[in-house]
Amino acid sequence: MANKDLNPAASNNKAEGFAAALQTLVLGGGCFWCTEAVFVRVRGVLDVESGYANGDAQRFPTPSYEQVCSGSTGYNEVVKLVYDPAVVSTRALLEVFFAVHDPTTPNRQGNDVGTQYRSGVYFTTPEQQAEALAVVSLLEASGQLHAPVVTEVLPLRHYSAAEAYHQDYFEQHPNQGYCAMVV
């Protein structure tokens, strides 16, 4: 689901063959509708897709929303970001991520409760891992949080896109009750 505020320079770079420089980072910060609504507005993020990550791929190779919501699959509701690091850094994305959710609540974000709502950074490069660990360390050292950070920082093991009706959900349903109150 393409970034709505994509700047022309980034778009042209992608079209001119610079796509190899793009990176993917997967983030779990509670409801994917809420997280997606934030990142589609970040300059340099070229695509945001709601999905499920790091669950039991052997038993659930393509999990459904209902299966993930049951809490029995091990999957986390996530957003997969494809971004241009020449426009937005991994550090900047992580700073946004930690500002828009509570990284201190295990298996919950607000009223959303269950392992599928855990805080997680699922990296695809060693550099992303290092950045995530550095940001977590800075957050904990800052004393700004009321509890320890419980965000898991793990390699992306398995990702499955969420059903089509979850993609761009807030953009398509801004007045839906959950979106109006939470997003």
Side-chain angles (χ1 to χ4, degrees):
M1 311 314 87
N3 182 323
K4 307 299 184 261
D5 296 327
L6 179 65
N7 76 347
S11 179
N12 290 341
N13 286 348
K14 185 177 177 185
E16 292 172 14
F18 291 98
L22 300 181
Q23 290 193 26
T24 299
L25 181 63
V26 177
L27 303 171
C31 169
F32 47 36
W33 297 344
C34 301
T35 311
E36 180 189 64
V38 171
F39 283 101
V40 295
R41 290 166 173 75
V42 174
R43 185 173 176 265
V45 175
L46 306 176
D47 189 54
V48 181
E49 181 179 70
S50 291
Y52 315 110
N54 283 30
D56 186 345
Q58 192 161 17
R59 286 184 43 224
F60 303 97
T62 310
S64 69
Y65 180 69
E66 291 74 19
Q67 288 172 325
V68 172
C69 285
S70 77
S72 64
T73 66
Y75 281 94
N76 195 0
E77 277 195 23
V78 297
V79 292
K80 180 176 80 169
L81 309 178
V82 176
Y83 64 100
D84 183 347
V87 178
V88 62
S89 68
T90 302
R91 171 73 58 113
L93 293 174
L94 292 167
E95 288 171 353
V96 169
F97 173 66
F98 283 108
V100 299
H101 86 293
D102 184 349
T104 68
T105 53
N107 299 325
R108 86 173 302 143
Q109 286 298 307
N111 291 328
D112 294 329
V113 179
T115 58
Q116 68 273 23
Y117 299 115
R118 65 191 181 269
S119 177
V121 175
Y122 306 105
F123 57 87
T124 60
T125 70
E127 294 80 15
Q128 290 173 347
Q129 177 187 24
E131 284 291 344
L133 293 172
V135 171
V136 167
S137 291
L138 286 172
L139 273 175
E140 289 182 332
S142 74
Q144 296 174 338
L145 302 175
H146 60 282
V149 173
V150 296
T151 304
E152 58 186 20
V153 177
L154 299 170
L156 180 64
R157 291 190 322 263
H158 182 75
Y159 172 83
S160 182
E163 296 81 351
Y165 71 91
H166 289 297
Q167 307 305 329
D168 298 315
Y169 194 86
F170 177 71
E171 297 295 322
Q172 295 177 35
H173 306 93
N175 298 317
Q176 190 262 4
Y178 183 88
C179 292
M181 296 302 293
V182 178
V183 178

